[in-house]
Amino acid sequence: RRARRGHGSVGRAAAGALRLGNAVGAAIAGTRVLGRAEASLFVTTALALLALAVVAVLWPRVVAAPLAVLVAWLAVGLLGKARQLRRGG
């Protein structure tokens, strides 16, 4: 039998990222009316991005190393998916 994968916090994080992406896309494109829930999401995200920008200016390696790991992880995942699709699955 296969071991079950946990979908707890990773699933919630992915859902939050998807929600943020949809809201930002709607705000830029003006495709739908945004409400108060999105306002608090935008403030939180903007403050986190500003903090990340300050850290990147002061300590570039602190941002570069995790970013490199994330990009490599995404690349490996995409290559795995491409291989799976080529095999017909």
Side-chain angles (χ1 to χ4, degrees):
R1 277 178 33 159
R2 283 186 162 183
R4 273 189 54 155
R5 290 183 183 178
H7 294 288
S9 62
V10 174
R12 283 190 299 274
L18 186 60
R19 178 175 165 237
L20 175 63
N22 288 338
V24 170
I28 292 171
T31 56
R32 67 180 173 95
V33 177
L34 300 172
R36 289 184 180 206
E38 287 85 9
S40 63
L41 178 66
F42 288 169
V43 169
T44 303
T45 303
L47 291 175
L49 289 173
L50 282 172
L52 181 62
V54 169
V55 170
V57 167
L58 296 176
W59 304 286
R61 288 186 181 182
V62 170
V63 175
L67 185 60
V69 170
L70 176 66
V71 170
W73 179 46
L74 290 172
V76 168
L78 286 173
L79 287 171
K81 187 64 172 179
R83 182 177 182 209
Q84 181 184 24
L85 290 172
R86 283 186 177 242
R87 288 185 171 183

